[in-house]
Amino acid sequence: MTTKETDNELPDKKLNKDFGKYFAGEVQINHEDTDKSLEIVKPIVNEILKHINEKDGRFSRLASCVGSFWDHLKVGKADEFDMNVKLHHINTFHLQSTTGIRRRYGFDKEVTEELKKIPDDINVVPTDEEPTKFGHPEPDVGYHYLEWKSRTHDLWKESDLFMNDDLVPFLVNRLFKNLLCDAILTINGTLKPGVNVQKTSRVRGPATAIKITSPDHHDILVDFSVSYECDAPWPSYIKWPHDDYKWPNKNKVAEIKCKGVHLVAKKPFYWMQSFALAERELVKDIDVDNGCRKKCHRIMKKLRDDFWCKDQTPVLTSYHLKQFSTQGVSYTI
């Protein structure tokens, strides 16, 4: 090996060593911490969902695990978990998107800005007015009404969550939050001394969050989102994979698209398309060539939290970083 070749390799080796040290010390989740967090979270979540399901069978006691922890992209410590609570006993809905007839309903009080938190005393009502300031315009791309005309299951014959034949997200979310609060009151009396569960005021997209405190462990946040895991086909406006892609292979693409999309109760009247389950399937094989892309993703995430967006709302979200990782690998693997 020549001196020139040696000089060229040394910086790379040092950089790899530095990144490895940073990853092990600052990024990688401690396995004992993870096991302890799961030991606390799993029985509490199971009891909460069991209680909610017993009170209202339209909410399944089974949840889909989504988000960075389950994708093995979490950094720091196992202190946040995301769960999609599935609506249960549902026939096929009709998805009504931007080309449909405008809905003539809105709130029974005037709303001047998008609601992130729905007041308990507001209701949905029909109206002859143009549903803009009073209610809502047509949904944007990626958002839908859910229309359900033939509700044959006994659990869904009640009209408390519907306006006309549309399942209204904010009514679903409000009911779920009330059931969640009731579940928390019930299970808090059954937990080990010092362990406590409370609903938080954190607003994070469509999710409702709880905080679990324990005397011998750090606080844990669990985000619940209500979802409808439908068999909707892959949207035609999503051009994926891109031309000239090298990864994933065609069989994997077909497998991911078969996951389809599910819908999350995001905005007051609209259900948002979510690709969380498809993304999880995609990310699972991102290092199929024995690469270190997940490790690089987590390092970027830690650098964002500690330096790039410290003490402020992140400009670079986890979604941006995941897109950077998955789109880049499509052409390089």
Side-chain angles (χ1 to χ4, degrees), residues 17-122:
K17 183 178 179 180
D18 289 342
F19 271 126
K21 184 178 179 181
Y22 179 73
F23 181 82
E26 302 291 335
V27 180
Q28 191 170 25
I29 295 179
N30 180 278
H31 291 300
E32 292 182 2
D33 175 79
T34 299
D35 292 342
K36 182 65 175 178
S37 291
L38 290 173
E39 180 185 329
I40 294 171
V41 166
K42 282 185 174 181
I44 290 176
V45 168
N46 287 340
E47 283 300 311
I48 286 175
L49 295 181
K50 177 184 175 183
H51 179 92
I52 290 174
N53 174 261
E54 289 174 350
K55 290 287 186 179
D56 193 320
R58 291 175 292 188
F59 297 98
S60 173
R61 65 175 61 190
L62 300 176
S64 294
C65 301
V66 297
S68 61
F69 176 83
W70 308 105
D71 290 341
H72 304 290
L73 297 175
K74 189 77 173 69
V75 301
K77 53 187 177 182
D79 58 354
E80 288 190 21
F81 298 85
D82 297 322
M83 305 284 184
N84 277 350
V85 180
K86 297 181 281 189
L87 292 174
H88 206 29
H89 300 301
I90 292 185
N91 298 338
T92 302
F93 277 104
H94 173 63
L95 301 183
Q96 186 68 62
S97 56
T98 55
T99 58
I101 300 172
R102 281 198 169 195
R103 271 32 176 186
R104 296 288 181 172
Y105 59 78
F107 297 118
D108 61 353
K109 295 182 179 181
E110 186 167 316
V111 176
T112 57
E113 59 184 35
E114 182 181 349
L115 293 176
K116 292 185 177 179
K117 182 178 180 182
I118 302 294
D120 289 336
D121 60 347
I122 200 170

Side-chain angles (χ1 to χ4, degrees), residues 10 21 139 218 237 265 327:
L10 284 176
K21 184 178 179 181
H218 54 71
Y237 68 88
Q327 296 296 338

